Amino acid sequence: MKILLMGPPGAGKGSQAEKIVNEYQLTNISTGEMFRESYNNQEPIGIEAMKFIEKGNLVSDEITNEVVRLRLLKKDAARCFLLDGYPRTVTQAVALDIMLNEMNSKLSAVINIVVDHEIILERMVGRRVCRSCGATYHVEFKPTQKKDVCDACGGTLYQRNDDKPESVKNRLNIYQNKTMPIIEYYRGRGILHEVNGMQTFNEVYKDIQNILGEPV
Ligand code: AP5
Ligand code: MG
Ligand code: ZN
């Protein structure tokens, strides 16, 4: 099973990915997470990427494609993976096709989580992320038991740098201009599924499960 999870910033890709990869035993590949982790480790790629991320701009196709290419070559990605947040431009979608072709592989499904812009803003402002394990929460919609402490690992929660209103607006613009065209690219191939992201976590997950079938 090789799945792409698409949708605007704040659609709930990361939240759904956490559950899907567990239930379906997939390798979770999130380019955003990889960049943030690399930045936390103060690696050159992460430091370079954060200059773009903070302002809500995309990291270059060149860097992003290379990061994904190296990740897909690792053993745990050979059979099953879920890509969250990649591809984000037509150039990246074409590059992914080439990589998969070389691996004699292809995508099983592309799932697009659809959410209106007003709801996105409210989700971003309240989002909190665990510094240790990356689990995602929301002050109102998914609060932790103890304030600012991760339920899963006891780590401290923080607010992402790019969740400031100016960065969010820029991310939404870029999503519309650069990422939306890919949806048509996949629709044309008949592997695109759309899910209403403006439901509860469980309802969204259930719709995704209906598309993927019961986990084996
Ligand atoms: P990335 O980390 O991928 O950010 P994004 O796409 O903007 O998406 P988010 O992670 O913000 O949102 P999400 O859809 O995962 O929502 P979440 O589950 O957290 O990328 C960050 C940056 O890295 C990019 O801007 C770019 O600079 C760079 N980058 C990454 N990939 C790149 C690429 N391929 N090319 C170039 N640059 C790249 O949910 C959001 C909030 O809502 C949470 O608080 C959650 O608890 C809550 N929530 C979720 N679902 C629900 C629900 N159903 N009901 C109520 N609340 C909900
Ligand atoms: Mg995410
Ligand atoms: Zn944690």
Side-chain angles (χ1 to χ4, degrees), residues 156-189:
T156 323
L157 304 191
Y158 77 107
Q159 189 166 22
R160 268 169 53 177
N161 275 340
D162 57 347
D163 279 349
K164 291 177 297 236
E166 319 85 74
S167 303
V168 172
K169 269 189 207 139
N170 193 27
R171 282 158 70 195
L172 281 169
N173 266 333
I174 290 176
Y175 174 76
Q176 226 150 13
N177 295 327
K178 299 264 169 104
T179 309
M180 291 272 275
I182 313 179
I183 291 170
E184 298 315 315
Y185 179 85
Y186 290 121
R187 200 193 305 279
R189 279 209 230 155

PDB file of all heavy atoms in Angstrom, residues 156-189:
ATOM      1  N   THR A 156       7.147  18.028  26.329  1.00  0.00           N
ATOM      2  CA  THR A 156       6.561  19.378  26.401  1.00  0.00           C
ATOM      3  C   THR A 156       5.975  19.771  25.047  1.00  0.00           C
ATOM      4  O   THR A 156       6.561  19.477  24.003  1.00  0.00           O
ATOM      5  CB  THR A 156       7.660  20.413  26.756  1.00  0.00           C
ATOM      6  OG1 THR A 156       8.542  19.807  27.688  1.00  0.00           O
ATOM      7  CG2 THR A 156       7.080  21.671  27.338  1.00  0.00           C
ATOM      8  N   LEU A 157       4.850  20.469  25.074  1.00  0.00           N
ATOM      9  CA  LEU A 157       4.242  20.916  23.825  1.00  0.00           C
ATOM     10  C   LEU A 157       4.759  22.292  23.443  1.00  0.00           C
ATOM     11  O   LEU A 157       5.140  23.080  24.294  1.00  0.00           O
ATOM     12  CB  LEU A 157       2.718  20.988  23.978  1.00  0.00           C
ATOM     13  CG  LEU A 157       1.984  19.730  24.428  1.00  0.00           C
ATOM     14  CD1 LEU A 157       0.481  19.916  24.254  1.00  0.00           C
ATOM     15  CD2 LEU A 157       2.441  18.493  23.655  1.00  0.00           C
ATOM     16  N   TYR A 158       4.779  22.551  22.120  1.00  0.00           N
ATOM     17  CA  TYR A 158       5.157  23.878  21.656  1.00  0.00           C
ATOM     18  C   TYR A 158       4.278  24.275  20.474  1.00  0.00           C
ATOM     19  O   TYR A 158       3.562  23.439  19.921  1.00  0.00           O
ATOM     20  CB  TYR A 158       6.649  23.916  21.272  1.00  0.00           C
ATOM     21  CG  TYR A 158       6.970  23.287  19.930  1.00  0.00           C
ATOM     22  CD1 TYR A 158       7.295  24.081  18.825  1.00  0.00           C
ATOM     23  CD2 TYR A 158       6.956  21.904  19.755  1.00  0.00           C
ATOM     24  CE1 TYR A 158       7.584  23.507  17.587  1.00  0.00           C
ATOM     25  CE2 TYR A 158       7.246  21.328  18.527  1.00  0.00           C
ATOM     26  CZ  TYR A 158       7.562  22.140  17.450  1.00  0.00           C
ATOM     27  OH  TYR A 158       7.842  21.576  16.235  1.00  0.00           O
ATOM     28  N   GLN A 159       4.354  25.576  20.130  1.00  0.00           N
ATOM     29  CA  GLN A 159       3.593  26.064  18.985  1.00  0.00           C
ATOM     30  C   GLN A 159       4.539  26.233  17.805  1.00  0.00           C
ATOM     31  O   GLN A 159       5.626  26.813  17.978  1.00  0.00           O
ATOM     32  CB  GLN A 159       2.949  27.402  19.352  1.00  0.00           C
ATOM     33  CG  GLN A 159       1.972  27.872  18.307  1.00  0.00           C
ATOM     34  CD  GLN A 159       1.080  29.000  18.816  1.00  0.00           C
ATOM     35  OE1 GLN A 159       1.430  29.701  19.759  1.00  0.00           O
ATOM     36  NE2 GLN A 159      -0.066  29.169  18.191  1.00  0.00           N
ATOM     37  N   ARG A 160       4.147  25.751  16.642  1.00  0.00           N
ATOM     38  CA  ARG A 160       5.037  25.842  15.482  1.00  0.00           C
ATOM     39  C   ARG A 160       5.250  27.295  15.062  1.00  0.00           C
ATOM     40  O   ARG A 160       4.331  28.098  15.101  1.00  0.00           O
ATOM     41  CB  ARG A 160       4.449  25.037  14.313  1.00  0.00           C
ATOM     42  CG  ARG A 160       4.949  23.611  14.299  1.00  0.00           C
ATOM     43  CD  ARG A 160       4.186  22.732  13.335  1.00  0.00           C
ATOM     44  NE  ARG A 160       4.101  23.245  11.967  1.00  0.00           N
ATOM     45  CZ  ARG A 160       3.522  22.593  10.980  1.00  0.00           C
ATOM     46  NH1 ARG A 160       2.992  21.398  11.184  1.00  0.00           N
ATOM     47  NH2 ARG A 160       3.470  23.116   9.781  1.00  0.00           N
ATOM     48  N   ASN A 161       6.484  27.605  14.610  1.00  0.00           N
ATOM     49  CA  ASN A 161       6.832  28.950  14.150  1.00  0.00           C
ATOM     50  C   ASN A 161       5.962  29.405  12.990  1.00  0.00           C
ATOM     51  O   ASN A 161       5.707  30.588  12.833  1.00  0.00           O
ATOM     52  CB  ASN A 161       8.277  28.949  13.618  1.00  0.00           C
ATOM     53  CG  ASN A 161       9.262  29.154  14.722  1.00  0.00           C
ATOM     54  OD1 ASN A 161       8.893  29.648  15.785  1.00  0.00           O
ATOM     55  ND2 ASN A 161      10.498  28.776  14.484  1.00  0.00           N
ATOM     56  N   ASP A 162       5.576  28.460  12.143  1.00  0.00           N
ATOM     57  CA  ASP A 162       4.820  28.851  10.945  1.00  0.00           C
ATOM     58  C   ASP A 162       3.317  28.865  11.205  1.00  0.00           C
ATOM     59  O   ASP A 162       2.536  28.959  10.274  1.00  0.00           O
ATOM     60  CB  ASP A 162       5.179  27.963   9.745  1.00  0.00           C
ATOM     61  CG  ASP A 162       4.954  26.477   9.990  1.00  0.00           C
ATOM     62  OD1 ASP A 162       4.753  26.087  11.163  1.00  0.00           O
ATOM     63  OD2 ASP A 162       4.978  25.717   9.015  1.00  0.00           O
ATOM     64  N   ASP A 163       2.891  28.792  12.455  1.00  0.00           N
ATOM     65  CA  ASP A 163       1.460  28.893  12.760  1.00  0.00           C
ATOM     66  C   ASP A 163       1.047  30.321  13.123  1.00  0.00           C
ATOM     67  O   ASP A 163      -0.037  30.550  13.622  1.00  0.00           O
ATOM     68  CB  ASP A 163       1.072  27.906  13.870  1.00  0.00           C
ATOM     69  CG  ASP A 163       0.865  26.488  13.321  1.00  0.00           C
ATOM     70  OD1 ASP A 163       0.811  26.342  12.081  1.00  0.00           O
ATOM     71  OD2 ASP A 163       0.751  25.543  14.110  1.00  0.00           O
ATOM     72  N   LYS A 164       1.927  31.296  12.854  1.00  0.00           N
ATOM     73  CA  LYS A 164       1.554  32.696  13.027  1.00  0.00           C
ATOM     74  C   LYS A 164       0.638  33.081  11.863  1.00  0.00           C
ATOM     75  O   LYS A 164       0.836  32.600  10.741  1.00  0.00           O
ATOM     76  CB  LYS A 164       2.800  33.607  12.974  1.00  0.00           C
ATOM     77  CG  LYS A 164       3.713  33.427  14.177  1.00  0.00           C
ATOM     78  CD  LYS A 164       4.953  34.291  14.041  1.00  0.00           C
ATOM     79  CE  LYS A 164       5.775  33.904  12.858  1.00  0.00           C
ATOM     80  NZ  LYS A 164       7.136  33.548  13.011  1.00  0.00           N
ATOM     81  N   PRO A 165      -0.355  33.973  12.102  1.00  0.00           N
ATOM     82  CA  PRO A 165      -1.328  34.299  11.049  1.00  0.00           C
ATOM     83  C   PRO A 165      -0.699  34.690   9.709  1.00  0.00           C
ATOM     84  O   PRO A 165      -1.183  34.266   8.661  1.00  0.00           O
ATOM     85  CB  PRO A 165      -2.132  35.450  11.643  1.00  0.00           C
ATOM     86  CG  PRO A 165      -2.015  35.277  13.124  1.00  0.00           C
ATOM     87  CD  PRO A 165      -0.673  34.649  13.379  1.00  0.00           C
ATOM     88  N   GLU A 166       0.401  35.484   9.688  1.00  0.00           N
ATOM     89  CA  GLU A 166       0.979  35.914   8.387  1.00  0.00           C
ATOM     90  C   GLU A 166       1.497  34.699   7.621  1.00  0.00           C
ATOM     91  O   GLU A 166       1.302  34.582   6.404  1.00  0.00           O
ATOM     92  CB  GLU A 166       2.170  36.881   8.535  1.00  0.00           C
ATOM     93  CG  GLU A 166       2.064  37.946   9.586  1.00  0.00           C
ATOM     94  CD  GLU A 166       2.508  37.417  10.948  1.00  0.00           C
ATOM     95  OE1 GLU A 166       3.708  37.237  11.193  1.00  0.00           O
ATOM     96  OE2 GLU A 166       1.585  37.169  11.770  1.00  0.00           O
ATOM     97  N   SER A 167       2.168  33.798   8.333  1.00  0.00           N
ATOM     98  CA  SER A 167       2.700  32.612   7.657  1.00  0.00           C
ATOM     99  C   SER A 167       1.579  31.713   7.168  1.00  0.00           C
ATOM    100  O   SER A 167       1.646  31.152   6.079  1.00  0.00           O
ATOM    101  CB  SER A 167       3.586  31.798   8.602  1.00  0.00           C
ATOM    102  OG  SER A 167       4.619  32.582   9.104  1.00  0.00           O
ATOM    103  N   VAL A 168       0.524  31.603   7.973  1.00  0.00           N
ATOM    104  CA  VAL A 168      -0.596  30.741   7.583  1.00  0.00           C
ATOM    105  C   VAL A 168      -1.224  31.256   6.296  1.00  0.00           C
ATOM    106  O   VAL A 168      -1.510  30.492   5.367  1.00  0.00           O
ATOM    107  CB  VAL A 168      -1.651  30.658   8.715  1.00  0.00           C
ATOM    108  CG1 VAL A 168      -2.895  29.932   8.238  1.00  0.00           C
ATOM    109  CG2 VAL A 168      -1.071  29.963   9.943  1.00  0.00           C
ATOM    110  N   LYS A 169      -1.420  32.597   6.223  1.00  0.00           N
ATOM    111  CA  LYS A 169      -2.020  33.186   5.013  1.00  0.00           C
ATOM    112  C   LYS A 169      -1.163  32.879   3.795  1.00  0.00           C
ATOM    113  O   LYS A 169      -1.664  32.517   2.727  1.00  0.00           O
ATOM    114  CB  LYS A 169      -2.159  34.699   5.188  1.00  0.00           C
ATOM    115  CG  LYS A 169      -3.504  35.042   5.773  1.00  0.00           C
ATOM    116  CD  LYS A 169      -3.753  36.539   5.741  1.00  0.00           C
ATOM    117  CE  LYS A 169      -4.712  36.887   6.887  1.00  0.00           C
ATOM    118  NZ  LYS A 169      -4.362  38.121   7.581  1.00  0.00           N
ATOM    119  N   ASN A 170       0.136  33.024   3.959  1.00  0.00           N
ATOM    120  CA  ASN A 170       1.037  32.757   2.847  1.00  0.00           C
ATOM    121  C   ASN A 170       0.972  31.277   2.449  1.00  0.00           C
ATOM    122  O   ASN A 170       0.938  30.941   1.265  1.00  0.00           O
ATOM    123  CB  ASN A 170       2.469  33.138   3.265  1.00  0.00           C
ATOM    124  CG  ASN A 170       3.407  33.186   2.092  1.00  0.00           C
ATOM    125  OD1 ASN A 170       2.982  33.436   0.965  1.00  0.00           O
ATOM    126  ND2 ASN A 170       4.677  32.923   2.347  1.00  0.00           N
ATOM    127  N   ARG A 171       0.913  30.399   3.433  1.00  0.00           N
ATOM    128  CA  ARG A 171       0.840  28.956   3.137  1.00  0.00           C
ATOM    129  C   ARG A 171      -0.425  28.620   2.363  1.00  0.00           C
ATOM    130  O   ARG A 171      -0.411  27.786   1.460  1.00  0.00           O
ATOM    131  CB  ARG A 171       0.901  28.157   4.436  1.00  0.00           C
ATOM    132  CG  ARG A 171       2.311  28.062   4.989  1.00  0.00           C
ATOM    133  CD  ARG A 171       2.330  27.773   6.457  1.00  0.00           C
ATOM    134  NE  ARG A 171       1.901  26.430   6.793  1.00  0.00           N
ATOM    135  CZ  ARG A 171       1.557  26.052   8.025  1.00  0.00           C
ATOM    136  NH1 ARG A 171       1.582  26.927   9.012  1.00  0.00           N
ATOM    137  NH2 ARG A 171       1.195  24.814   8.255  1.00  0.00           N
ATOM    138  N   LEU A 172      -1.529  29.290   2.735  1.00  0.00           N
ATOM    139  CA  LEU A 172      -2.790  29.025   2.032  1.00  0.00           C
ATOM    140  C   LEU A 172      -2.728  29.496   0.586  1.00  0.00           C
ATOM    141  O   LEU A 172      -3.208  28.808  -0.322  1.00  0.00           O
ATOM    142  CB  LEU A 172      -3.947  29.723   2.752  1.00  0.00           C
ATOM    143  CG  LEU A 172      -4.449  29.001   3.996  1.00  0.00           C
ATOM    144  CD1 LEU A 172      -5.411  29.882   4.787  1.00  0.00           C
ATOM    145  CD2 LEU A 172      -5.134  27.694   3.626  1.00  0.00           C
ATOM    146  N   ASN A 173      -2.097  30.670   0.366  1.00  0.00           N
ATOM    147  CA  ASN A 173      -1.936  31.179  -0.997  1.00  0.00           C
ATOM    148  C   ASN A 173      -1.119  30.231  -1.839  1.00  0.00           C
ATOM    149  O   ASN A 173      -1.453  29.917  -2.979  1.00  0.00           O
ATOM    150  CB  ASN A 173      -1.186  32.515  -0.958  1.00  0.00           C
ATOM    151  CG  ASN A 173      -2.154  33.660  -0.941  1.00  0.00           C
ATOM    152  OD1 ASN A 173      -3.273  33.512  -1.451  1.00  0.00           O
ATOM    153  ND2 ASN A 173      -1.755  34.771  -0.360  1.00  0.00           N
ATOM    154  N   ILE A 174      -0.008  29.792  -1.256  1.00  0.00           N
ATOM    155  CA  ILE A 174       0.886  28.888  -1.985  1.00  0.00           C
ATOM    156  C   ILE A 174       0.171  27.569  -2.262  1.00  0.00           C
ATOM    157  O   ILE A 174       0.296  26.996  -3.344  1.00  0.00           O
ATOM    158  CB  ILE A 174       2.188  28.672  -1.189  1.00  0.00           C
ATOM    159  CG1 ILE A 174       2.999  29.970  -1.197  1.00  0.00           C
ATOM    160  CG2 ILE A 174       3.004  27.525  -1.763  1.00  0.00           C
ATOM    161  CD1 ILE A 174       4.261  29.929  -0.377  1.00  0.00           C
ATOM    162  N   TYR A 175      -0.598  27.124  -1.297  1.00  0.00           N
ATOM    163  CA  TYR A 175      -1.350  25.876  -1.501  1.00  0.00           C
ATOM    164  C   TYR A 175      -2.235  26.007  -2.740  1.00  0.00           C
ATOM    165  O   TYR A 175      -2.248  25.128  -3.605  1.00  0.00           O
ATOM    166  CB  TYR A 175      -2.198  25.539  -0.261  1.00  0.00           C
ATOM    167  CG  TYR A 175      -3.076  24.338  -0.500  1.00  0.00           C
ATOM    168  CD1 TYR A 175      -2.533  23.052  -0.489  1.00  0.00           C
ATOM    169  CD2 TYR A 175      -4.428  24.478  -0.804  1.00  0.00           C
ATOM    170  CE1 TYR A 175      -3.320  21.947  -0.768  1.00  0.00           C
ATOM    171  CE2 TYR A 175      -5.216  23.382  -1.075  1.00  0.00           C
ATOM    172  CZ  TYR A 175      -4.666  22.113  -1.053  1.00  0.00           C
ATOM    173  OH  TYR A 175      -5.442  21.024  -1.336  1.00  0.00           O
ATOM    174  N   GLN A 176      -2.947  27.151  -2.808  1.00  0.00           N
ATOM    175  CA  GLN A 176      -3.862  27.336  -3.918  1.00  0.00           C
ATOM    176  C   GLN A 176      -3.137  27.385  -5.261  1.00  0.00           C
ATOM    177  O   GLN A 176      -3.571  26.784  -6.233  1.00  0.00           O
ATOM    178  CB  GLN A 176      -4.643  28.632  -3.713  1.00  0.00           C
ATOM    179  CG  GLN A 176      -6.100  28.456  -3.972  1.00  0.00           C
ATOM    180  CD  GLN A 176      -6.935  29.409  -3.127  1.00  0.00           C
ATOM    181  OE1 GLN A 176      -6.413  30.361  -2.515  1.00  0.00           O
ATOM    182  NE2 GLN A 176      -8.219  29.178  -3.079  1.00  0.00           N
ATOM    183  N   ASN A 177      -2.018  28.121  -5.292  1.00  0.00           N
ATOM    184  CA  ASN A 177      -1.324  28.340  -6.562  1.00  0.00           C
ATOM    185  C   ASN A 177      -0.454  27.171  -6.987  1.00  0.00           C
ATOM    186  O   ASN A 177      -0.385  26.840  -8.168  1.00  0.00           O
ATOM    187  CB  ASN A 177      -0.473  29.602  -6.492  1.00  0.00           C
ATOM    188  CG  ASN A 177      -1.340  30.826  -6.321  1.00  0.00           C
ATOM    189  OD1 ASN A 177      -2.457  30.867  -6.837  1.00  0.00           O
ATOM    190  ND2 ASN A 177      -0.874  31.798  -5.562  1.00  0.00           N
ATOM    191  N   LYS A 178       0.242  26.570  -6.041  1.00  0.00           N
ATOM    192  CA  LYS A 178       1.244  25.558  -6.406  1.00  0.00           C
ATOM    193  C   LYS A 178       0.761  24.125  -6.202  1.00  0.00           C
ATOM    194  O   LYS A 178       1.137  23.226  -6.952  1.00  0.00           O
ATOM    195  CB  LYS A 178       2.519  25.766  -5.566  1.00  0.00           C
ATOM    196  CG  LYS A 178       3.179  27.105  -5.757  1.00  0.00           C
ATOM    197  CD  LYS A 178       4.288  26.978  -6.763  1.00  0.00           C
ATOM    198  CE  LYS A 178       4.832  28.291  -7.203  1.00  0.00           C
ATOM    199  NZ  LYS A 178       6.085  28.670  -6.647  1.00  0.00           N
ATOM    200  N   THR A 179      -0.027  23.902  -5.147  1.00  0.00           N
ATOM    201  CA  THR A 179      -0.361  22.520  -4.806  1.00  0.00           C
ATOM    202  C   THR A 179      -1.682  22.052  -5.410  1.00  0.00           C
ATOM    203  O   THR A 179      -1.780  20.906  -5.854  1.00  0.00           O
ATOM    204  CB  THR A 179      -0.373  22.337  -3.265  1.00  0.00           C
ATOM    205  OG1 THR A 179       0.854  22.868  -2.750  1.00  0.00           O
ATOM    206  CG2 THR A 179      -0.467  20.875  -2.873  1.00  0.00           C
ATOM    207  N   MET A 180      -2.686  22.945  -5.458  1.00  0.00           N
ATOM    208  CA  MET A 180      -3.987  22.547  -6.009  1.00  0.00           C
ATOM    209  C   MET A 180      -3.881  21.905  -7.408  1.00  0.00           C
ATOM    210  O   MET A 180      -4.600  20.940  -7.685  1.00  0.00           O
ATOM    211  CB  MET A 180      -4.946  23.740  -6.069  1.00  0.00           C
ATOM    212  CG  MET A 180      -5.397  24.215  -4.708  1.00  0.00           C
ATOM    213  SD  MET A 180      -6.855  23.361  -4.102  1.00  0.00           S
ATOM    214  CE  MET A 180      -8.150  24.312  -4.854  1.00  0.00           C
ATOM    215  N   PRO A 181      -3.024  22.432  -8.305  1.00  0.00           N
ATOM    216  CA  PRO A 181      -2.944  21.819  -9.640  1.00  0.00           C
ATOM    217  C   PRO A 181      -2.619  20.318  -9.620  1.00  0.00           C
ATOM    218  O   PRO A 181      -3.005  19.584 -10.528  1.00  0.00           O
ATOM    219  CB  PRO A 181      -1.829  22.613 -10.332  1.00  0.00           C
ATOM    220  CG  PRO A 181      -1.819  23.934  -9.641  1.00  0.00           C
ATOM    221  CD  PRO A 181      -2.188  23.647  -8.209  1.00  0.00           C
ATOM    222  N   ILE A 182      -1.935  19.864  -8.572  1.00  0.00           N
ATOM    223  CA  ILE A 182      -1.590  18.431  -8.530  1.00  0.00           C
ATOM    224  C   ILE A 182      -2.835  17.577  -8.363  1.00  0.00           C
ATOM    225  O   ILE A 182      -2.861  16.419  -8.779  1.00  0.00           O
ATOM    226  CB  ILE A 182      -0.672  18.091  -7.332  1.00  0.00           C
ATOM    227  CG1 ILE A 182       0.473  19.055  -7.213  1.00  0.00           C
ATOM    228  CG2 ILE A 182      -0.144  16.689  -7.450  1.00  0.00           C
ATOM    229  CD1 ILE A 182       1.326  18.698  -6.014  1.00  0.00           C
ATOM    230  N   ILE A 183      -3.859  18.158  -7.731  1.00  0.00           N
ATOM    231  CA  ILE A 183      -5.075  17.377  -7.487  1.00  0.00           C
ATOM    232  C   ILE A 183      -5.660  16.921  -8.830  1.00  0.00           C
ATOM    233  O   ILE A 183      -6.049  15.771  -8.989  1.00  0.00           O
ATOM    234  CB  ILE A 183      -6.068  18.215  -6.658  1.00  0.00           C
ATOM    235  CG1 ILE A 183      -5.467  18.376  -5.255  1.00  0.00           C
ATOM    236  CG2 ILE A 183      -7.441  17.563  -6.593  1.00  0.00           C
ATOM    237  CD1 ILE A 183      -6.168  19.352  -4.381  1.00  0.00           C
ATOM    238  N   GLU A 184      -5.647  17.844  -9.793  1.00  0.00           N
ATOM    239  CA  GLU A 184      -6.170  17.489 -11.118  1.00  0.00           C
ATOM    240  C   GLU A 184      -5.276  16.453 -11.808  1.00  0.00           C
ATOM    241  O   GLU A 184      -5.757  15.574 -12.516  1.00  0.00           O
ATOM    242  CB  GLU A 184      -6.323  18.736 -11.994  1.00  0.00           C
ATOM    243  CG  GLU A 184      -7.318  19.742 -11.440  1.00  0.00           C
ATOM    244  CD  GLU A 184      -8.621  19.100 -10.952  1.00  0.00           C
ATOM    245  OE1 GLU A 184      -9.175  18.242 -11.669  1.00  0.00           O
ATOM    246  OE2 GLU A 184      -9.064  19.437  -9.828  1.00  0.00           O
ATOM    247  N   TYR A 185      -3.991  16.589 -11.544  1.00  0.00           N
ATOM    248  CA  TYR A 185      -2.997  15.643 -12.094  1.00  0.00           C
ATOM    249  C   TYR A 185      -3.367  14.213 -11.680  1.00  0.00           C
ATOM    250  O   TYR A 185      -3.362  13.291 -12.488  1.00  0.00           O
ATOM    251  CB  TYR A 185      -1.639  16.064 -11.542  1.00  0.00           C
ATOM    252  CG  TYR A 185      -0.431  15.247 -11.925  1.00  0.00           C
ATOM    253  CD1 TYR A 185       0.248  15.493 -13.112  1.00  0.00           C
ATOM    254  CD2 TYR A 185       0.063  14.262 -11.080  1.00  0.00           C
ATOM    255  CE1 TYR A 185       1.393  14.786 -13.440  1.00  0.00           C
ATOM    256  CE2 TYR A 185       1.205  13.547 -11.398  1.00  0.00           C
ATOM    257  CZ  TYR A 185       1.862  13.811 -12.582  1.00  0.00           C
ATOM    258  OH  TYR A 185       2.991  13.105 -12.890  1.00  0.00           O
ATOM    259  N   TYR A 186      -3.729  14.027 -10.400  1.00  0.00           N
ATOM    260  CA  TYR A 186      -4.081  12.691  -9.914  1.00  0.00           C
ATOM    261  C   TYR A 186      -5.523  12.309 -10.255  1.00  0.00           C
ATOM    262  O   TYR A 186      -5.822  11.149 -10.467  1.00  0.00           O
ATOM    263  CB  TYR A 186      -3.845  12.579  -8.412  1.00  0.00           C
ATOM    264  CG  TYR A 186      -2.382  12.579  -8.044  1.00  0.00           C
ATOM    265  CD1 TYR A 186      -1.857  13.538  -7.199  1.00  0.00           C
ATOM    266  CD2 TYR A 186      -1.524  11.615  -8.572  1.00  0.00           C
ATOM    267  CE1 TYR A 186      -0.499  13.548  -6.880  1.00  0.00           C
ATOM    268  CE2 TYR A 186      -0.177  11.615  -8.266  1.00  0.00           C
ATOM    269  CZ  TYR A 186       0.330  12.583  -7.417  1.00  0.00           C
ATOM    270  OH  TYR A 186       1.659  12.586  -7.113  1.00  0.00           O
ATOM    271  N   ARG A 187      -6.409  13.307 -10.309  1.00  0.00           N
ATOM    272  CA  ARG A 187      -7.796  13.001 -10.665  1.00  0.00           C
ATOM    273  C   ARG A 187      -7.845  12.375 -12.049  1.00  0.00           C
ATOM    274  O   ARG A 187      -8.537  11.388 -12.281  1.00  0.00           O
ATOM    275  CB  ARG A 187      -8.665  14.271 -10.638  1.00  0.00           C
ATOM    276  CG  ARG A 187     -10.157  13.968 -10.527  1.00  0.00           C
ATOM    277  CD  ARG A 187     -11.029  15.183 -10.817  1.00  0.00           C
ATOM    278  NE  ARG A 187     -10.729  16.350 -10.007  1.00  0.00           N
ATOM    279  CZ  ARG A 187     -11.172  16.529  -8.763  1.00  0.00           C
ATOM    280  NH1 ARG A 187     -11.937  15.637  -8.190  1.00  0.00           N
ATOM    281  NH2 ARG A 187     -10.849  17.609  -8.086  1.00  0.00           N
ATOM    282  N   GLY A 188      -7.041  12.943 -12.938  1.00  0.00           N
ATOM    283  CA  GLY A 188      -6.984  12.451 -14.304  1.00  0.00           C
ATOM    284  C   GLY A 188      -6.562  10.988 -14.385  1.00  0.00           C
ATOM    285  O   GLY A 188      -6.842  10.307 -15.373  1.00  0.00           O
ATOM    286  N   ARG A 189      -5.881  10.526 -13.372  1.00  0.00           N
ATOM    287  CA  ARG A 189      -5.420   9.142 -13.371  1.00  0.00           C
ATOM    288  C   ARG A 189      -6.373   8.191 -12.677  1.00  0.00           C
ATOM    289  O   ARG A 189      -6.117   6.982 -12.610  1.00  0.00           O
ATOM    290  CB  ARG A 189      -4.107   9.064 -12.613  1.00  0.00           C
ATOM    291  CG  ARG A 189      -2.977   9.479 -13.465  1.00  0.00           C
ATOM    292  CD  ARG A 189      -1.779   8.736 -12.981  1.00  0.00           C
ATOM    293  NE  ARG A 189      -0.719   9.659 -12.778  1.00  0.00           N
ATOM    294  CZ  ARG A 189       0.282   9.459 -11.949  1.00  0.00           C
ATOM    295  NH1 ARG A 189       0.318   8.383 -11.204  1.00  0.00           N
ATOM    296  NH2 ARG A 189       1.236  10.335 -11.853  1.00  0.00           N
TER     297      ARG A 189
END
